[in-house]
Amino acid sequence: MGKAAVVKAFEDIKAALAVLNSEVDGCGSEPYSAADPFAGLADGCLDILAGARVAEAGFAAVKARAAVTYADTAHAIAGPDAPVQALEMAVAAEIGALLALGPRAAGAFLAASHAMAKELPLAFSALQTGTITWPHALVMVEETAGLDPAGAAALEAHFLDPDLPRPAAAAPIGELPAYRFRAKARNWRERHHPESIEKRHAKGVADRRVEYRPDRDGMAWLSACLPADQAMAGWNRLTALARGMQGPDESRTLTQLKADKFTDAILGSGNNAGSAGAGSDDSGTAAGPSSRIQAQVLVTVPVFSLEGLTDEPAMLDGYGPIPASMARRLVAEGAGSFYRVLVDPRDGAPMEIGRTSYRLTKAMKKALQLRDGRCTFPGCNNPSLDNEADHLQAWQHGGTTGISNLAQLCPKHHRLKHSTGWTPTTATQNEPPGWTSPTGRHYKAEHHDWEPPHWPAQLQSATGDPPDFVYLGLSPGEQALEWFLHAPPA
């Protein structure tokens, strides 16, 4: 039917949009609920949002296919003798003018569309069905860039192959914010990249820099690209300093306090007063950059990697995989962030630690941080060192102080849990809790992608399998390998 079919399809879409707009206004042919019109309208609007999300993903897939097909057709019409670069510029210019995109944005859209439609079949299928959104698809395109076809297919399959087993309580990637999916995809890519993370990190260290960029309203950005452990430690220290300054007499927000302490540090003021014009701190609780508050990081590292027997990356809390050499340096410098953790040799997940009293031990808090990685509220990215442990079932109502009845929440979502109808659902020793909203909708938990530790070839059994037990040795004052060899098996 050609153009007539296209015109008819868009007419039907416009008619459907008119119906949906009428329903959003509560002016549909039938009320959502005769018994409770307001509650019915609210629930109906959430249904419309959910449906629009799926429809937008489907449209994104159609746009990508249309752009790629147009480009292929333009190349076929031009013939093999046409100048390739000029033709590509012409195609991008046509698409950019049609979609009101600049030349760079149009080129990026066309490149991403080509990768999705021709190189990432699982991701493209998920986009067509609305399982993932276009921002998720862009993450997949960016994180597979630079990988060979086998590596790209492996990353894609890890997150989207329906035949791969996954925890029943784990949220699919399409239900995570795209930036959280980016972190998971990047972690997997770092662990499985064909080039050693040590080599890539060495290049990154050589490229470390500070950048300045003017912004609007008399503001500017000052940012630094640093080794991950230094950047994470600095961020955690700024957060600790800012939290210590909060109080009833402090009017600045946590974000403002962090900015002011950063300014104090780089300008060398080193006192308890805030930056000029930012307001003063009258609470008496402020700690300057020279205070004894320590920069803290939480790192997990496989014991054999710590001893240099394997090159398996360590995991820096709040960041992701780091070179084993960085973890070894942190241990050698006496970092107080390493803790013994017994892990399951089948999947690499930390084992449960529990006790029967209300107060958590330091070891339990660290085990909780390892399990959750960040605030467990849907979409929250607040790192674990800044969070608060909370009982899922209240202690006074029979709840126990075991890791299966605990979650770590940032201060904002801790308050939300106790003041609204948002409630966490069941957790396990290696699965964080999901959440149920006041409307009764359930949101699954985000899970770590645990992997079994790598074993040196000399410790493999005759069948090629590792032994039946494994430890992560994380202790500041002891030799990890010695502890590993002398600790009793699980």
Side-chain angles (χ1 to χ4, degrees):
M1 295 177 65
K3 286 192 174 183
V6 172
V7 170
K8 176 63 166 59
F10 280 108
E11 287 177 351
D12 292 343
I13 290 170
K14 289 180 181 178
L17 287 173
V19 171
L20 292 172
N21 277 302
S22 179
E23 294 293 340
V24 167
D25 293 334
C27 300
S29 58
E30 297 181 5
Y32 284 104
S33 171
D36 192 342
F38 285 110
L41 178 60
D43 195 59
C45 286
L46 291 178
D47 288 339
I48 290 172
L49 284 172
R53 175 188 183 278
V54 174
E56 285 175 347
F59 266 110
V62 168
K63 286 174 62 179
R65 286 192 66 192
V68 171
T69 301
Y70 167 72
D72 290 345
T73 304
H75 279 271
I77 293 172
D81 297 329
V84 175
Q85 186 174 6
L87 183 58
E88 289 179 348
M89 289 177 61
V91 168
E94 181 77 38
I95 291 174
L98 192 66
L99 299 180
L101 298 175
R104 182 175 298 179
F109 167 72
L110 189 56
S113 297
H114 184 278
M116 283 296 298
K118 296 197 173 184
E119 300 169 8
L120 299 169
L122 292 178
F124 190 68
S125 176
L127 183 67
Q128 287 180 305
T129 60
T131 304
I132 63 172
T133 67
W134 180 247
H136 291 86
L138 288 180
V139 169
M140 188 67 76
V141 169
E142 292 163 8
E143 293 304 323
T144 54
L147 297 177
D148 59 24
L155 189 152
E156 186 186 28
H158 177 75
F159 292 103
L160 292 173
D161 189 340
D163 295 329
L164 289 181
R166 290 180 176 82
I173 64 166
E175 295 180 11
L176 303 177
Y179 74 90
R180 287 299 320 136
F181 170 49
R182 181 184 301 279
K184 294 174 77 67
R186 184 158 296 170
N187 287 351
W188 193 93
R189 184 180 189 271
E190 293 285 10
R191 291 197 296 253
H192 298 270
H193 199 285
E195 185 179 8
S196 165
I197 191 173
E198 296 285 355
K199 293 181 180 179
R200 290 180 283 126
H201 177 64
K203 182 181 183 301
V205 170
D207 292 339
R208 64 191 182 278
R209 61 198 178 275
V210 177
E211 296 181 348
Y212 166 80
R213 177 169 59 85
D215 203 354
R216 297 181 297 273
D217 306 324
M219 304 298 288
W221 289 94
L222 182 63
S223 58
C225 183
L226 303 171
D229 60 328
Q230 297 175 12
M232 198 74 245
W235 177 255
N236 289 343
R237 187 165 187 263
L238 278 175
T239 301
L241 287 167
R243 288 241 182 259
M245 294 172 65
Q246 289 184 307
D249 299 323
E250 176 54 71
S251 61
R252 288 173 290 177
T253 66
L254 184 68
T255 299
Q256 291 169 338
L257 288 168
K258 288 181 183 179
D260 291 347
K261 298 314 294 181
F262 177 76
T263 302
D264 290 345
I266 62 173
L267 296 184
S269 59
N271 55 39
N272 291 346
S275 299
S280 62
D281 173 33
D282 300 324
S283 66
T285 61
S290 60
S291 75
R292 293 186 178 274
I293 293 179
Q294 297 297 310
Q296 296 184 33
V297 291
L298 179 64
V299 180
T300 59
V301 53
V303 65
F304 293 124
S305 186
L306 189 62
E307 289 300 310
L309 299 177
T310 70
D311 291 327
E312 185 175 6
M315 294 294 292
L316 175 63
D317 181 60
Y319 173 78
I322 59 173
S325 60
M326 183 183 291
R328 288 193 287 268
R329 176 172 54 78
L330 290 172
V331 174
E333 293 174 356
S337 58
F338 287 79
Y339 297 86
R340 301 172 177 174
V341 181
L342 179 65
V343 303
D344 191 324
R346 296 165 298 182
D347 56 14
M351 302 292 280
E352 181 162 7
I353 304 173
R355 62 177 288 180
T356 56
S357 64
Y358 177 78
R359 189 174 298 276
L360 278 70
T361 64
K362 192 174 185 179
M364 290 177 67
K365 291 179 181 178
K366 295 304 176 186
L368 188 62
Q369 291 170 345
L370 288 168
R371 187 196 70 183
D372 294 348
R374 58 191 52 81
C375 173
T376 63
F377 194 82
C380 185
N381 202 38
N382 208 66
S384 62
L385 292 175
D386 189 39
N387 292 331
E388 303 163 352
D390 188 51
H391 289 74
L392 301 180
Q393 182 181 0
W395 176 263
Q396 61 268 32
H397 296 151
T400 60
T401 304
I403 197 169
S404 296
N405 191 47
L406 295 170
Q408 56 165 332
L409 303 175
C410 68
K412 178 176 70 175
H413 291 125
H414 198 167
R415 291 192 298 270
L416 186 74
K417 171 181 177 284
H418 291 289
S419 59
T420 72
W422 279 94
T423 56
T425 55
T426 305
T428 69
Q429 65 181 25
N430 58 4
E431 295 179 355
W435 284 79
T436 300
S437 74
T439 64
R441 287 170 168 79
H442 180 67
Y443 300 90
K444 292 184 176 182
E446 179 182 344
H447 284 223
H448 284 290
D449 291 315
W450 298 115
E451 293 189 13
H454 296 172
W455 284 78
Q458 62 267 35
L459 294 183
Q460 298 284 344
S461 69
T463 62
D465 297 323
D468 293 333
F469 60 91
V470 60
Y471 289 91
L472 284 183
L474 305 174
S475 172
E478 299 175 61
Q479 290 295 323
L481 185 58
E482 180 180 356
W483 182 85
F484 170 81
L485 293 174
H486 290 87

